[in-house]
Amino acid sequence: MEVDTPACSIAAVTDPAIESLKTAYTGPGAPTGRQLYLHTSPEFGMKRLLASGVGPIYQICKVFREGEAGRLHNPEFTLLEWYQPGYDHHRLMDEMEALIQAVLSEPCPVRRLSYGQLFEDILGFNPYPAGSEELRRVAVDQGIAGASALALPDRDAWLDLLMSHCIEPRLGSGMCFVYDYPASQASLARIRQGEPPVAERFELYLDGIELANGFHELGDHAEQRRRFQADLECRQERGQVNPPVDSRLLDALEAGLPDSSGVALGIDRLLMCITGAAHISEVLAFPFDRA
Amino acid sequence: MATYSTSEFKGGLKIMLDGDPCSIIENEFVKPGKGQAFNRVKIRNLKTGRVIERTFKSGESIEAADVMEVQLQYLYNDGEFWYFMDPDSFEQHSADAKAVSESEKWLKDQDICTITLWNGTPLSVEAPNFVTLTIVETDPGLKGDTSGGGGKPATLETGAVVRVPLFVQNGEAIKVDTRTGQYVSRVKD
């Protein structure tokens, strides 16, 4: 079922790596004014619907991110997001693969490998236990200019550096699904206990471009509350402003989220891949600098 | 100390890197959907001319380089320095051989050149795109040749040697493209 959830909310995402654009409303219902946050994905609203028992849902909508503009980024962009109750992240990858094959003019090769395998294959080391200093050494050995002087906040940022500078450019053409992320990068995905514990999260790369991010959704409201809290503490440490936490989402999770998986696909980047565009502005009528 | 944040990065921005003034050639914003943002930058070192890459964490601040381009008139060379003057303020600047570099052979007094100043000192000198110079030495031309095919070397008043058509004679003024070092045309007074 196609759904529509609010783009403006009094609560916002807490992820330290994602900033919301802000706006304000004053008038009937909020005579003294109310701070509003533009959604960075429709995830919270859609999960509230899932918890109410609507079944499988999808939505295509504009989302907004503060501070993100470049070759692959426009502050306002389009997501296709959908949720499938009863699916785990592998079954959702199957569905995603079929969707992408259907919109490409020619069948494209597909690979699936775990985050750990990907690092082993391309960089020759196991990323899960690696600490910041080891990761810095790898970055220097890989010839990332300036790596020795970079001051990054945590090991995940070092992993992001290696992923974006060394791995993405070597993914080659076709689809590449990467799954089982380090537990520290779980975001809103379930963590599967094991050695090491991993997040049941996946990303889809098409021709080396990050196109989609999916989760086997975390349904445990207490765990979700702890992660929000940890995000806020991290933001505080880094001097970032803390947005209000979405208590309605937490209430919905407490009422019960069906076991489900969900994914968000960047439509603009998919269009870039299909048309061979080098810059996201080529697939937008009026990109950011002309909006 | 003036600084720039990575959000201000764009082509042409002048920054200090490892103690040298540099100019940004290309800036790419790199960010995983749920991860750390970086600026991956191509930079030209304005002292050495070398192009290097550098990755910054987005949000970092970088020291600005006090670099500007000015139009100055060439005056003379005293064997060690080349002297230039601001035609409006009459302020003079001296450039060393490193700054003048390849432009030396095109410098004619009174020509207006583009000088890149770093903290007020010339970092590089660019001759005008086209200069008019007099031929001081070339072989006599062949009668009747008007095509310019083949050509011959000619030494100019600044010491530069360019290939000119056979009909061009000693003592004549010619127009030269300093970017390619090629003859363009004869110049009649």
Side-chain angles (χ1 to χ4, degrees), chain A residues 111-180:
Chain A
R111 282 186 300 157
R112 273 191 208 187
L113 65 182
S114 72
Y115 190 90
Q117 193 60 52
L118 187 65
F119 275 71
E120 288 280 5
D121 286 357
I122 294 183
L123 298 176
F125 78 99
N126 178 1
Y128 297 115
S132 291
E133 277 316 305
E134 182 186 347
L135 295 169
R136 182 198 294 273
R137 275 198 302 279
V138 175
V140 171
D141 289 348
Q142 287 292 320
I144 299 177
S148 54
L150 273 177
L152 298 183
D154 53 35
R155 62 182 293 275
D156 288 316
W158 284 104
L159 289 169
D160 290 336
L161 178 73
L162 294 173
M163 189 71 163
S164 57
H165 284 62
C166 304
I167 294 182
E168 286 178 17
R170 293 182 220 171
L171 286 177
S173 61
M175 274 188 261
C176 182
F177 286 94
V178 183
Y179 60 90
D180 285 357

Side-chain angles (χ1 to χ4, degrees), chain A residues 209-275:
Chain A
I209 292 178
E210 181 190 354
L211 218 58
N213 177 77
F215 301 138
H216 189 189
E217 301 292 347
L218 175 67
D220 179 340
H221 69 95
E223 167 70 10
Q224 184 63 68
R225 193 181 294 274
R226 279 195 294 277
R227 289 196 198 173
F228 278 161
Q229 195 53 42
D231 280 350
L232 294 181
E233 283 163 18
C234 174
R235 294 179 71 94
Q236 196 138 23
E237 260 173 45
R238 297 183 190 178
Q240 295 170 272
V241 175
N242 277 345
V245 165
D246 193 338
S247 57
R248 294 194 176 100
L249 172 70
L250 291 171
D251 291 345
L253 295 184
E254 190 165 2
L257 184 80
D259 182 3
S260 26
S261 286
V263 66
L265 168 73
I267 297 289
D268 313 280
R269 288 190 188 170
L270 177 61
L271 290 175
M272 284 179 72
C273 290
I274 290 172
T275 60

Side-chain angles (χ1 to χ4, degrees), chain A residues 176-194:
Chain A
C176 182
F177 286 94
V178 183
Y179 60 90
D180 285 357
Y181 275 67
S184 52
Q185 296 180 26
S187 193
L188 303 178
R190 293 179 182 210
I191 291 174
R192 189 174 72 245
Q193 290 313 317

